[in-house]
């Protein structure tokens, strides 16, 4: 923790630009992989665990021409899942002399510190959501037991990197993973529309969005020869009522198998399969039930700020929040792609 605002020596007459040259960080889209695109603000400030009940059913019926003395019944099996919570905090200490030094640079020190603290906490929440605090416990989306992990195969020409991959083959590979994701979740038919979210490093997303033009021989619907890998996928998904959203996170660079880039493909919310008449998912009408696939719980929507005076006349400002790591309730709805960029 430091506020480094050195003294300045300027030539006069002169003009000083009031605007600052700022250091910026990437605005990650990790929250969009959560159900509802935001954490669930339901924790108490001292809650150490979160529990959720689950209910499984195995149905059975007897078919015969005549009545039987023995009849089977559905089997209901209940259980629960749990996740630890972690307290994320940081602190700054400053006094009026620090504020005066920052003021010479046209900087409001309390505001700058608060934004910096919030950014640090949000980056920490991003880290435990994606990678967990204790990976051995299966925390974080990249450590979910039962998630589907796929390594990008070679294309028809033997290319194995995103930069050299045949664009038509890339569309087919990604659409295959999209189809497999929906198939595992029984998300086909019955008017179901899904939100499919893909979280990837910028260098992969931008390649698919702007540079990888799909050949007309591979995509002969409107846009063939002009649409990109991302655009082609979006158009094809829209034709069956789905949407595909792409978001950035460069911390996924090198986090795939063997040091490749990791790309997360998920449906953050599941839709309940249903059909009029004889519904073979009739049990799905039971409630209350959740549609969530990926979650993070927090105790507050924004970090709590606690200001206290220090003995030497300064101010100590603490920001804190309590949160769970990334928690996937339905691993069938999560695919981790390992893609070699170059």
């Amino acid at each position: 923790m430091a506020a480094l605002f050195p003294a300045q020596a300027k030539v006069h007459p002169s003009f000083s630009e009031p605007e600052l040259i700022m250091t910026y960080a990437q605005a990650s889209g990790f929250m969009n992989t959560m159900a509802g695109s935001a954490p669930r603000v339901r924790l108490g400030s001292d809650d150490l665990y979160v529990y959720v009940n689950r209910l499984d059913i195995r149905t059975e019926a007897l078919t015969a021409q005549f009545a039987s003395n023995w009849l089977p019944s559905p089997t209901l099996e209940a259980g629960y899942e749990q996740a630890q919570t972690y307290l994320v905090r940081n602190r700054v200490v400053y006094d009026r002399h620090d504020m005066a030094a920052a003021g010479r640079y046209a900087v409001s020190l309390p505001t700058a510190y608060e934004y910096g603290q919030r950014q640090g906490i949000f980056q920490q929440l991003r880290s435990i959501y994606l990678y967990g605090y204790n990976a051995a416990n299966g925390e974080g989306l990249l450590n979910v037991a039962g998630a589907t992990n796929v390594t990008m195969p070679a294309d028809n020409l033997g290319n194995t990197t995103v930069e050299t991959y045949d664009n038509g083959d890339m569309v087919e590979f990604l659409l295959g993973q999209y189809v497999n994701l929906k198939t595992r979740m029984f998300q086909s038919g019955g008017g179901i529309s899904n939100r499919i979210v893909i979280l990837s490093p910028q260098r992969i997303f931008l390649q698919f969005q702007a540079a990888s033009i799909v050949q007309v021989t591979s995509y002969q619907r409107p846009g063939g020869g002009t649409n990109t890998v991302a655009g082609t996928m979006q158009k094809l998904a829209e034709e069956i009522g789905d949407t595909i959203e792409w978001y950035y996170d460069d911390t996924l660079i090198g986090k795939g198998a063997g040091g490749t880039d990791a790309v997360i493909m998920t449906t953050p919310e599941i839709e309940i399969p249903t059909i009029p008449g004889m519904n073979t998912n009739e049990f799905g009408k039971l409630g209350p039930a959740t549609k969530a696939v990926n979650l993070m719980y927090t105790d507050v929507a924004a970090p709590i700020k606690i200001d206290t005076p220090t003995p030497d006349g300064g101010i100590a400002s603490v920001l804190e929040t309590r949160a769970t790591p990334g928690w996937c309730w339905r691993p069938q709805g999560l695919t981790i792609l390992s893609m070699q960029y170059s």
Side-chain angles (χ1 to χ4, degrees):
M1 179 189 67
L4 305 177
F5 293 94
Q8 299 176 340
K10 296 181 177 180
V11 174
H12 290 282
S14 64
F15 171 74
S16 293
E17 171 61 53
E19 297 178 349
L20 298 169
I21 301 173
M22 298 279 293
T23 298
Y24 294 120
Q26 182 186 51
S28 170
F30 78 99
M31 283 200 308
N32 293 282
T33 64
M34 302 177 189
S37 298
R40 288 194 171 186
V41 186
R42 299 184 180 180
L43 295 182
S45 59
D46 293 324
D47 290 342
L48 301 180
Y49 275 82
V50 178
Y51 297 97
V52 59
N53 294 326
R54 57 175 171 78
L55 181 61
D56 189 26
I57 186 170
R58 292 294 181 268
T59 60
E60 191 175 354
L62 179 66
T63 303
Q65 281 191 303
F66 303 100
S68 171
N69 291 328
W70 176 87
L71 290 176
S73 65
T75 300
L76 300 174
E77 182 182 352
Y80 68 94
E81 307 293 336
Q82 65 183 35
Q84 288 182 263
T85 70
Y86 299 98
L87 187 60
V88 183
R89 313 174 77 200
N90 55 23
R91 179 178 62 186
V92 294
V93 178
Y94 59 91
D95 59 20
R96 64 188 183 89
H97 302 292
D98 297 320
M99 293 174 62
R104 290 192 289 269
Y105 282 77
V107 173
S108 169
L109 189 62
T111 302
Y113 264 146
E114 183 174 348
Y115 285 157
Q117 288 179 273
R118 287 167 59 91
Q119 178 168 308
I121 286 178
F122 293 152
Q123 289 179 347
Q124 188 70 36
L125 293 177
R126 184 262 308 272
S127 180
I128 66 172
Y129 176 76
L130 293 177
Y131 312 110
Y133 183 78
N134 188 346
N137 288 341
E139 297 175 354
L141 260 60
L142 265 67
N143 300 309
V144 171
T148 299
N149 288 270
V150 179
T151 298
M152 185 178 71
D155 67 9
N156 289 327
L157 301 176
N159 299 310
T160 58
T161 67
V162 170
E163 282 189 313
T164 61
Y165 217 81
D166 178 84
N167 298 329
D169 288 350
M170 181 62 76
V171 169
E172 292 185 8
F173 168 67
L174 293 174
L175 285 175
Q177 303 311 311
Y178 157 69
V179 168
N180 291 340
L181 178 67
K182 286 179 67 73
T183 301
R184 293 193 303 268
M185 301 286 283
F186 303 121
Q187 296 293 281
S188 303
I192 290 176
S193 296
N194 292 123
R195 181 173 70 100
I196 308 296
V197 175
I198 300 176
L199 185 68
S200 73
Q202 291 181 92
R203 62 186 188 180
I204 289 182
F205 172 87
L206 290 176
Q207 182 77 19
F208 292 163
Q209 187 183 44
S212 297
I213 306 298
V214 178
Q215 306 91 326
V216 69
T217 55
S218 299
Y219 179 55
Q220 298 182 25
R221 304 189 191 193
T226 61
N227 216 339
T228 61
V229 168
T232 302
M233 289 188 62
Q234 183 63 57
K235 284 291 184 183
L236 295 178
E238 287 175 356
E239 290 181 8
I240 64 171
D242 291 341
T243 59
I244 297 181
E245 302 174 3
W246 296 75
Y247 297 99
Y248 308 111
D249 195 289
D250 277 358
T251 68
L252 292 169
I253 293 175
K255 297 300 192 301
T260 58
D261 290 0
V263 174
I264 295 173
M265 178 184 290
T266 185
T267 173
E269 306 92 7
I270 189 174
E271 295 301 324
I272 300 174
T274 185
I275 198 165
M278 288 187 253
N279 182 9
T280 53
N281 185 45
E282 190 76 2
F283 186 73
K285 296 179 179 179
L286 184 67
T290 178
K291 296 182 179 181
V293 174
N294 309 311
L295 301 100
M296 168 182 266
Y297 282 85
T298 62
D299 61 339
V300 286
I304 297 172
K305 183 179 181 183
I306 306 166
D307 288 334
T308 55
T310 61
D312 57 358
I315 293 290
S317 182
V318 173
L319 260 63
E320 68 177 41
T321 186
R322 182 173 290 276
T324 64
W327 194 4
C328 180
W329 285 352
R330 295 181 169 95
Q332 302 91 336
L334 178 63
T335 300
I336 309 298
L337 305 176
S338 294
M339 308 180 76
Q340 183 67 45
Y341 177 71
S342 61

